Amino acid sequence: MMSQPVVHIHNLNLKYQQKPVLQDLCWTINRNDNWLLCGESGTGKTTLAKAIAGMIPTLEGDIQLNFDLSSPLPAKVHYVANWYQFKDLEGASNFYYQQRYQSLATAITATVIAELTRFGNDQQLSFEALERLLTALGFAGLKNSALLQLSSGEHKKLQLVKALWSKPQLLILDQPYNGLDKLSRKNLNDLLTEISENGTQLIIIGNESELPAAINRFALLKDGRLQEISSPELPQQEVEEIIKPLPSFLQREILTDSAEHIIKMIDVNIRYGDKQVLKNINWEVKPGEKWLLQGHNGSGKSTLLSLISGDHPQAYANNFFLFGNKRGTGESIWEIKERIGLISPELHWYFDASATVWQSIASGFYDSSGLYCSPGSTKHAQVDELIQYFGLSAYKNTLMNELPLGKQRLTLLARTIVKKPAILILDEPCQGLDQQQTQHFNRLVDELCKDGSTLIYVGHFESQLPACIEKRILLEDGAVKSVEHLLQSI
């Protein structure tokens, strides 16, 4: 007698705001099948995953889960979300972006080890297995860090440690490689193959080609339906999106800064208690230069960028110059932010998701999360121009949390450039985007940087970078490992 499939989905339908997302979708997952679920951003992959995990209460159709009751593994689905949501010690989650760099504020969130202890006790897990996972994912040194202090890649690792530790019968991982460096991705794949050999079945959501050896089935979600495919390669789009002429107000040349350096750091050090995060950093960025900032998870990239963006209070205690002025000599944080455009996974996390696309872009004039005042007619017209330029006209009045991730990132890029900043800081801006969206995004960045803008770009994947990048700085354990000139094509 054949065993029942682990998951059997029949004629699943789901609408969002009257628009069909899943249409008569059918999917059978048999025992020993480990799937990659791929498809363009916004096609409903996350929705399908949450439906299987029982996180969407009202569905039309049938989802049957058949766990092996004789297995020692927990008879449950563990879903690892693309983004990690955590709460403070009082159960709230209304954090703001700069809060993660303030030493007093970190006392309101649990430490990594406290969170893992709580999780392990709740799930009745063996703490002997935990140490090996922490070491394999390069996370052991962060046990005493507050959750609020973690970078996006470190938060992803915390999610993964919990999932691997709990060893459910069905593990669904939504974009598990986001924010992970190359070594961490390799180690994760080895760990996933190991738990699959011990009985955990996998569904990985993403468009990756570097996958665990255990992945043996591939499915494409398109137009609300699922089709099995022979490889993880997405069908290539025949028509490449055309880059339109920049809006007129962005076509003005940025005035070359009179200072010789936009950024100059001399022996910069950042310390949290006994932990030194940045060690004797020396770095100079001249006006108009295009830099790639790289380093493994925890190497200090986020902290370095927070000094530049004005969000880190320890900037004043260091020999650090920005736009020719030494930090702490009278300039306000808002005068600094007026000249800097920033995208980062952390900024995206803390952004006001209840703002509309139009409000989100307009908030870039004021460096606020959400819009709290009414822009004048000139600014109003410029926001409208950007909405048309980025192809967001149909979403103008849509809330950010109702948009596919790709549209959210385009909205944040529009927000970043609306004030025509002198320096763009793009920290993993394509995290979670599919290949076509990433290529389109980076072509937009190349176009925007033709006017003399200075660029600092953070990206782990060498194949997913703008063509304009000309220099690279590499961090390792908080120190500068190398600085080099690059060929035009990386």
Side-chain angles (χ1 to χ4, degrees):
M1 179 179 175
M2 287 186 63
S3 63
Q4 291 180 305
V6 177
V7 179
H8 181 67
I9 302 174
H10 182 66
N11 287 350
L12 185 63
N13 288 273
L14 188 137
K15 291 183 178 180
Y16 187 74
Q17 294 187 337
Q18 304 307 310
K19 295 179 182 177
V21 178
L22 306 177
Q23 301 183 69
D24 294 327
L25 185 142
C26 297
W27 194 10
T28 299
I29 299 177
N30 293 309
R31 303 207 181 275
N32 301 315
D33 284 350
N34 295 296
W35 288 81
L36 174 73
L37 174 60
C38 56
E40 294 180 10
S41 179
T43 51
K45 301 185 298 296
T46 293
T47 300
L48 177 56
K50 288 182 174 179
I52 296 171
M55 299 169 66
I56 299 177
T58 54
L59 292 167
E60 179 187 327
D62 186 40
I63 300 179
Q64 295 178 8
L65 300 178
N66 301 297
F67 295 113
D68 181 359
L69 300 182
S70 65
S71 169
L73 303 183
K76 66 178 184 178
V77 182
H78 186 117
Y79 169 71
V80 176
N82 183 7
W83 283 17
Y84 180 70
Q85 298 294 323
F86 62 96
K87 298 182 184 295
D88 64 21
L89 295 175
E90 296 182 355
S93 56
N94 55 332
F95 307 110
Y96 56 91
Y97 178 59
Q98 291 82 8
Q99 195 172 4
R100 64 194 294 257
Y101 302 112
Q102 298 176 2
S103 57
L104 292 177
T106 57
I108 69 172
T109 59
T111 61
V112 168
I113 192 60
E115 172 65 13
L116 288 172
T117 299
R118 180 201 62 78
F119 179 79
N121 289 335
D122 286 349
Q123 305 292 320
Q124 298 180 321
L125 300 174
S126 163
F127 282 83
E128 290 181 12
L130 176 61
E131 288 300 322
R132 179 171 170 269
L133 291 173
L134 293 174
T135 301
L137 288 175
F139 205 58
L142 292 168
K143 288 183 196 175
N144 296 316
S145 298
L147 297 182
L148 194 58
Q149 290 179 314
L150 301 182
S151 69
S152 63
E154 290 162 351
H155 271 295
K156 176 61 71 177
K157 287 183 178 181
L158 179 57
Q159 289 178 281
L160 294 168
V161 165
K162 289 180 177 180
L164 292 162
W165 191 18
S166 62
K167 296 181 182 177
Q169 289 195 28
L170 179 59
L171 176 57
I172 305 177
L173 302 162
D174 196 345
Q175 306 283 356
Y177 306 99
N178 279 357
L180 298 189
D181 57 53
K182 187 173 183 179
L183 179 60
S184 296
R185 296 195 302 269
K186 178 187 180 300
N187 289 345
L188 173 61
N189 282 340
D190 291 343
L191 290 168
L192 289 173
T193 293
E194 182 181 307
I195 67 166
S196 74
E197 290 172 350
N198 291 318
T200 295
Q201 288 192 238
L202 305 173
I203 301 175
I204 293 179
I205 298 172
N207 298 309
E208 309 293 335
S209 55
E210 297 177 28
L211 296 165
I215 297 295
N216 53 12
R217 306 292 292 274
F218 308 96
L220 173 68
L221 186 56
K222 184 177 182 180
D223 299 327
R225 291 184 171 86
L226 202 72
Q227 65 182 82
E228 187 166 359
I229 55 178
S230 58
S231 75
E233 297 297 323
L234 277 179
Q236 292 297 311
Q237 295 289 327
E238 295 182 5
V239 181
E240 192 176 59
E241 291 188 64
I242 297 171
I243 303 295
K244 308 169 194 170
L246 285 172
S248 55
F249 77 95
L250 288 178
Q251 291 178 8
R252 301 190 307 272
E253 281 282 326
I254 287 182
L255 294 176
T256 303
D257 208 284
S258 57
E260 182 181 355
H261 302 97
I262 283 199
I263 298 164
K264 186 172 183 178
M265 297 183 179
I266 304 171
D267 293 329
V268 167
N269 289 275
I270 298 292
R271 182 182 294 276
Y272 301 131
D274 295 333
K275 182 180 179 182
Q276 190 164 0
V277 182
L278 293 181
K279 307 169 187 174
N280 300 320
I281 299 292
N282 290 280
W283 187 27
E284 296 180 355
V285 176
K286 296 179 180 179
E289 289 184 337
K290 315 294 188 286
W291 282 84
L292 174 64
L293 169 61
Q294 289 189 314
H296 60 72
N297 297 130
S299 61
K301 301 187 300 298
S302 295
T303 303
L304 185 66
L305 294 180
S306 70
L307 291 172
I308 300 167
S309 64
D311 293 311
H312 204 297
Q314 291 190 45
Y316 302 106
N318 278 281
N319 198 3
F320 170 38
F321 295 81
L322 198 56
F323 302 112
N325 300 312
K326 191 174 189 300
R327 286 301 312 273
T329 55
E331 81 290 0
S332 74
I333 188 174
W334 302 112
E335 288 172 326
I336 292 170
K337 286 183 172 295
E338 190 176 6
R339 305 179 70 182
I340 295 174
L342 170 70
I343 293 178
S344 73
E346 293 82 8
L347 181 69
H348 196 165
W349 280 349
Y350 302 129
F351 197 78
D352 184 0
S354 66
T356 66
V357 166
W358 196 97
Q359 291 168 336
S360 298
I361 296 173
S363 73
F365 287 118
Y366 312 103
D367 295 297
S368 58
S369 177
L371 187 63
Y372 305 104
C373 59
S374 179
S377 58
T378 299
K379 288 183 170 65
H380 199 291
Q382 289 173 347
V383 174
D384 286 342
E385 278 191 79
L386 275 179
I387 282 178
Q388 186 173 10
Y389 176 72
F390 282 104
L392 295 167
S393 298
Y395 306 95
K396 180 177 179 178
N397 298 313
T398 303
L399 300 183
M400 281 285 279
N401 60 8
E402 295 176 354
L403 282 179
L405 184 60
K407 301 297 184 187
Q408 290 186 33
R409 286 294 162 96
L410 286 179
T411 300
L412 289 178
L413 179 59
R415 175 188 180 273
T416 299
I417 65 172
V418 70
K419 61 186 177 183
K420 196 166 176 66
I423 180 170
L424 284 173
I425 300 175
L426 306 183
D427 183 359
E428 295 195 62
C430 298
Q431 198 179 96
L433 304 190
D434 61 42
Q435 184 177 356
Q436 185 191 10
Q437 289 172 323
T438 297
Q439 290 174 349
H440 180 64
F441 188 101
N442 285 329
R443 288 178 65 217
L444 287 172
V445 172
D446 284 330
E447 190 67 24
L448 290 165
C449 285
K450 286 179 179 178
D451 61 5
S453 293
T454 304
L455 174 68
I456 299 175
Y457 193 104
V458 179
H460 288 298
F461 296 91
E462 302 276 320
S463 61
Q464 298 179 357
L465 301 172
C468 66
I469 290 174
E470 57 196 9
K471 294 184 176 183
R472 169 164 49 198
I473 178 170
L474 178 65
L475 298 186
E476 185 174 286
D477 297 327
V480 176
K481 184 178 182 183
S482 64
V483 174
E484 60 182 326
H485 287 267
L486 301 174
L487 298 175
Q488 277 304 108
S489 179
I490 295 180

